[in-house]
Amino acid sequence: MTSRISRRTLLQAGASALVLTGTQPLWAKDTLKMRLSTAFTEQDLRANAYKAFAKAMAGDFQLEPYWGNTLFKQGTELVALQRGNLEMANLAPQDISKQLPAWSLLTSAYLFRDVAHLQKTFKSDIGQTFVKMARDQLGIEVITPVYFGARQVNLKPDRVIHTPADLAGIKLRMPPGEFWQFLGESIGVNPTPVAFAEVYTALQTGAIDGQDNPLLLSKLMKFDEVTTQFVLTSHVIGFDVMAVSTKAWDALGPDRQTRFRAAAEKAINDYTVTFEGQERNVIEQLKAEGKKVYTPDLDAFRTYAQKRYVDKYGRDWPKGALEQINAL
């Protein structure tokens, strides 16, 4: 997707800003403007969370959202924040780890057990160590993680999966790129790069044996039509982070910063409850269709994956950080 902006896009974004700020005039003396860039579209549940946040903060600043990468291409938001061309972004932790290798720990398989563990980690001392790294070294303030689903293995072969050894020889579609290919290796599969738009056909023809995505996305894309089972590996607890440039953050001042954090956490927590409910509903729908849905030996998967990540990336991680997060 390109970063070209049409006149219509600008008008639409302006209209969104007017809606999100309620009746407060844009020229109010103390009003700040925060441009927000997200990869997801306005139809995504996460957009509702950001709108709720904006409504709660309407008396403090104007949020001007650009959904679906209409302002900056995905992967370029961090640099835009650092250059002062953007105030706020829903940022992928993988993008942070490209500049700050220590953050690769937070993108590794089986680090987080579930969304509660993810949230608890970011509030803990070790989590705040990573937040401080981002502030001091990258010039961004990380506010809160934004969960978007656990990745689950979805297979066409009717093979029972208990441990990584049971996935040997399985051609699992993974996105292109070193991070994704290694993720596949870390759970025991033969990772096979396939463009997302081609996954359904590749499953249908047998070019691949399976794919991994959050359940809601797998259902939306109708991958259940051409597969037999969903193995609830939860090998990655998918999340982005709400991030603000330190320049914009400092401009808010202490009182607005406090209100900002409280409003952000409430909006994201409310959204997360809704999202988790939808995940549970999808599991029941899949079972009703006759699909096999079950949980394998997660301890076996976690042990296997973490050893591989430690061997490859552990030298970049703060000493003891993995153990501290595992112990939470």
Side-chain angles (χ1 to χ4, degrees), residues 60-123:
D60 290 293
F61 60 81
Q62 165 198 345
L63 186 67
E64 188 175 281
Y66 292 87
W67 317 110
N69 293 127
T70 52
L71 186 60
F72 292 99
K73 290 198 314 182
Q74 188 172 10
T76 66
E77 300 97 336
L78 176 55
V79 173
L81 289 169
Q82 293 169 322
R83 292 178 176 174
N85 297 325
L86 183 66
E87 290 73 44
M88 188 173 173
N90 188 78
L91 202 62
Q94 290 83 1
D95 292 338
I96 295 176
S97 70
K98 290 176 183 176
Q99 291 193 31
L100 194 57
W103 265 67
S104 66
L105 171 59
L106 302 183
T107 70
S108 62
Y110 286 104
L111 179 67
F112 302 114
R113 295 185 291 275
D114 50 34
V115 65
H117 187 216
L118 166 69
Q119 293 169 334
K120 188 173 184 179
T121 296
F122 269 85
K123 287 181 175 296

Side-chain angles (χ1 to χ4, degrees), residues 3 35 43 50 56 67 72 78 94 131 138 154 174 188 210 239 266 276 292:
S3 58
R35 293 167 294 180
Q43 289 69 45
Y50 274 97
W67 317 110
F72 292 99
L78 176 55
Q94 290 83 1
V131 170
L138 302 185
N154 173 210
M174 301 297 294
F239 75 99
K266 183 181 187 311
E276 287 190 294
K292 294 180 179 179

Side-chain angles (χ1 to χ4, degrees), residues 154-260:
N154 173 210
L155 298 178
K156 186 174 183 177
D158 188 13
R159 180 196 296 187
V160 177
I161 307 298
H162 290 303
T163 69
D166 297 323
L167 285 171
I170 288 288
K171 294 179 293 182
L172 194 76
R173 177 267 174 182
M174 301 297 294
E178 178 188 351
F179 167 81
W180 293 108
Q181 295 298 295
F182 185 74
L183 172 61
E185 293 175 11
S186 77
I187 62 173
V189 302
N190 178 16
T192 305
V194 176
F196 185 69
E198 299 171 6
V199 172
Y200 187 98
T201 301
L203 286 167
Q204 195 173 38
T205 61
I208 55 175
D209 299 314
Q211 60 90 30
D212 81 314
N213 269 297
L215 292 175
L216 268 66
L217 183 56
S218 292
K219 183 64 176 172
L220 178 66
M221 298 305 296
K222 300 182 178 180
F223 295 148
D224 53 306
E225 294 181 349
V226 286
T227 55
T228 66
Q229 61 172 317
F230 287 82
V231 188
L232 303 182
T233 49
S234 298
H235 47 282
V236 171
I237 302 300
F239 75 99
D240 293 323
V241 294
M242 182 188 291
V244 181
S245 72
T246 50
K247 179 180 179 181
W249 183 249
D250 292 343
L252 290 174
D255 290 342
R256 281 190 288 202
Q257 287 173 357
T258 298
R259 291 193 293 273
F260 189 113

